[in-house]
Amino acid sequence: MKKNTYTIPLALVFSLFFLWAISSNLLPTMIRQLMKTCELNTFEASFTETAYWLAYFIFPIPIAMFMKRYSYKAGIIFGLLLAAVGGLLFFPAAILKEYWAYLCIFFIIATGMCFLETAANPYVTVLGAPETAPRRLNLAQSFNGLGAFIAAMFLSKLILSGTHYTRETLPVDYPGGWQAYIQLETDAMKLPYLILALLLLAIAVVFVFSKLPKIGDEGTEPASGKKEKLIDFDVLKRSHLRWGVIAQFFYNGGQTAINSLFLVYCCTYAGLPEDTATTFFGLYMLAFLLGRWIGTGLMVKFRPQDMLLVYALMNILLCGVVMLWGGMIGLYAMLAISFFMSIMYPTQFSLALKGLGNQTKSGSAFLVMAIVGNACLPQLTAYFMHVNEHIYYVAYGIPMLCFAFCAYYGWKGYKVID
């Protein structure tokens, strides 16, 4: 397929970045909401992230095998449908009102989104000139930033009511009492996920009737005539891919630690009401979106690896600001952290896939698996925050350490030496 015919396929794939951003960036809001409806503390509620991101550790290799056998398109359509089913399950979950039911739903949605992410990232890197792959992936990821902004600024306000009662603080004259309050807060979670499910189904229909180009080794037989591996573990012998997986593990864990606890930080430690906190969350994601757009433009003049190094070093300094001052100063520092986090994931992803050839699907699977950092490092951060509430800000030393690994990757780890 000629270069100028990549426009429509790329536009369709860009829409996937938007969709999974909405899904993953509703999690901080859901953590805050589940603390109310299921009566959880910060540490307990953080396992919402574990349930979601654990799917990204379990399924990338089976998904890569599925797409190797069938196609990227088949994987995308199946992922869209599976995630839509998960969104619709919020309706029976609102009847159960059990935390384990929500954890199962998040796992199902994440599995569907994992199909999309395993397919979309390498697809964007291959559809076009190799030398512009980092810039192209950052452009695609800007739609991820747009979805994050919409989830944070608008959908979060559909969920969070602005009231946070406990059994002890609920007004005695509240209509219907405690059960009515919990039901009201529980029902608030259904509409955003209904919207997401319908959007996923609509995009799935578009993909069914669209023609996507086969890329790389899709639809071809190996030259040697031997049956090719569905997943190639030998790709981990490539040092730039191996270091890329490590950098992605720590980047994802650091980013999600800050994202997932942002609303908890605003309401619990900065003393902001929920409606103000969601506005700040929207600004936080807007900074991320602007960072993606500006970073994509800067890559025309600067090497991606150099920008990665500078941005990572900036975030190390900003995490230090949060640790030293906390409160509103720390909150404003987080807005800047969001800006500088913006290019790190797609830049590391594209640099790690450089020169992998027919090992691209396998490399992509391992890079997506690295998102399991989201399933453990945010919980570690939440634990330190919960057990040291008087010095909660020291917990941000964990994201600081994570960004140090990213800085190393931008300095030396990205180099293709084998």
Side-chain angles (χ1 to χ4, degrees):
M1 180 170 284
K2 294 181 180 179
K3 183 177 178 181
N4 61 1
T5 61
Y6 287 157
T7 303
I8 293 177
L10 279 172
L12 288 173
V13 175
F14 283 3
S15 72
L16 304 180
F17 288 78
F18 175 80
L19 291 171
W20 81 61
I22 290 178
S23 170
S24 62
N25 286 285
L26 276 174
L27 293 178
T29 303
M30 295 302 296
I31 287 175
R32 176 68 180 172
Q33 187 70 354
L34 289 170
M35 288 176 70
K36 299 184 202 178
T37 59
C38 297
E39 301 178 79
L40 308 172
N41 62 41
T42 303
F43 178 61
E44 292 167 338
S46 70
F47 283 93
T48 302
E49 296 277 1
T50 303
Y52 190 94
W53 297 112
L54 189 61
Y56 277 72
F57 179 73
I58 296 173
F59 290 110
I61 289 179
I63 288 170
M65 294 169 69
F66 177 93
M67 291 189 298
K68 189 87 169 179
R69 184 175 181 86
Y70 298 102
S71 67
Y72 280 109
K73 179 178 177 179
I76 288 169
I77 293 170
F78 185 82
L80 288 165
L81 295 175
L82 183 61
V85 169
L88 295 174
L89 287 175
F90 266 87
F91 286 84
I95 300 173
L96 285 175
K97 301 187 192 67
E98 295 286 346
Y99 187 39
W100 64 263
Y102 292 110
L103 296 182
C104 291
I105 290 171
F106 288 127
F107 185 81
I108 293 169
I109 294 174
T111 303
M113 295 299 174
C114 190
F115 270 90
L116 306 188
E117 193 153 354
T118 304
N121 282 299
Y123 212 99
V124 169
T125 63
V126 175
L127 286 181
E131 61 272 16
T132 60
R135 191 162 77 245
R136 197 163 53 250
L137 188 53
N138 269 282
L139 177 60
Q141 289 279 357
S142 69
F143 288 87
N144 186 277
L146 179 61
F149 172 67
I150 289 174
M153 182 63 88
F154 302 109
L155 295 182
S156 65
K157 293 183 184 296
L158 294 178
I159 296 174
L160 296 176
S161 63
T163 59
H164 188 185
Y165 296 123
T166 64
R167 292 178 185 269
E168 292 73 27
T169 61
L170 185 75
V172 293
D173 59 347
Y174 191 93
W178 178 253
Q179 292 303 321
Y181 168 68
I182 290 298
Q183 189 63 59
L184 180 66
E185 295 291 345
T186 300
D187 289 341
M189 296 186 283
K190 295 189 294 188
L191 180 58
Y193 283 94
L194 173 62
I195 294 171
L196 178 61
L198 294 176
L199 188 56
L200 288 164
L201 291 172
I203 298 296
V205 171
V206 173
F207 268 95
V208 167
F209 293 102
S210 299
K211 185 177 181 180
L212 295 181
K214 291 185 180 296
I215 62 172
D217 55 351
E218 283 188 282
T220 63
E221 294 294 330
S224 64
K226 295 181 181 179
K227 188 173 181 180
E228 195 169 354
K229 298 176 182 178
L230 290 176
I231 190 71
D232 189 355
F233 287 89
D234 287 343
V235 72
L236 291 173
K237 294 179 180 178
R238 307 290 296 273
S239 65
H240 73 289
L241 183 277
R242 189 169 60 250
W243 273 110
V245 170
I246 294 170
Q248 290 292 65
F249 173 87
F250 283 101
Y251 167 75
N252 282 291
Q255 181 201 37
T256 303
I258 296 172
N259 286 5
S260 64
L261 296 171
F262 187 85
L263 288 172
V264 175
Y265 182 100
C266 288
C267 298
T268 305
Y269 302 113
L272 299 178
E274 281 186 348
D275 56 346
T276 305
T278 53
T279 299
F280 267 97
F281 192 35
L283 294 174
Y284 175 86
M285 289 304 177
L286 180 60
F288 189 80
L289 175 59
L290 291 175
R292 281 265 164 89
W293 284 341
I294 294 171
T296 301
L298 289 174
M299 282 186 186
V300 175
K301 292 189 175 183
F302 301 100
R303 297 194 309 168
Q305 56 267 35
D306 294 338
M307 290 186 61
L308 174 62
L309 174 59
V310 171
Y311 278 39
L313 291 174
M314 287 298 300
N315 275 343
I316 291 172
L317 292 174
L318 288 165
C319 283
V321 172
V322 179
M323 292 177 66
L324 287 172
W325 284 282
M328 289 301 297
I329 293 176
L331 181 56
Y332 287 116
M334 285 187 215
L335 298 183
I337 289 172
S338 184
F339 179 91
F340 288 108
M341 285 193 300
S342 58
I343 68 157
M344 297 174 75
Y345 179 86
T347 301
Q348 291 180 165
F349 203 104
S350 57
L351 290 172
L353 290 181
K354 186 176 181 180
L356 293 187
N358 61 4
Q359 294 180 308
T360 297
K361 283 195 187 78
S362 298
S364 176
F366 290 116
L367 287 167
V368 173
M369 284 179 69
I371 295 177
V372 75
N374 292 348
C376 51
L377 296 178
Q379 288 66 41
L380 184 61
T381 307
Y383 175 76
F384 276 101
M385 185 178 285
H386 176 64
V387 299
N388 301 287
E389 289 194 338
H390 58 297
I391 50 171
Y392 61 88
Y393 33 81
V394 300
Y396 287 86
I398 295 171
M400 175 189 278
L401 178 63
C402 293
F403 292 129
F405 280 89
C406 299
Y408 176 79
Y409 192 66
W411 178 40
K412 284 188 176 181
Y414 76 92
K415 293 181 179 179
V416 181
I417 59 175
D418 47 18

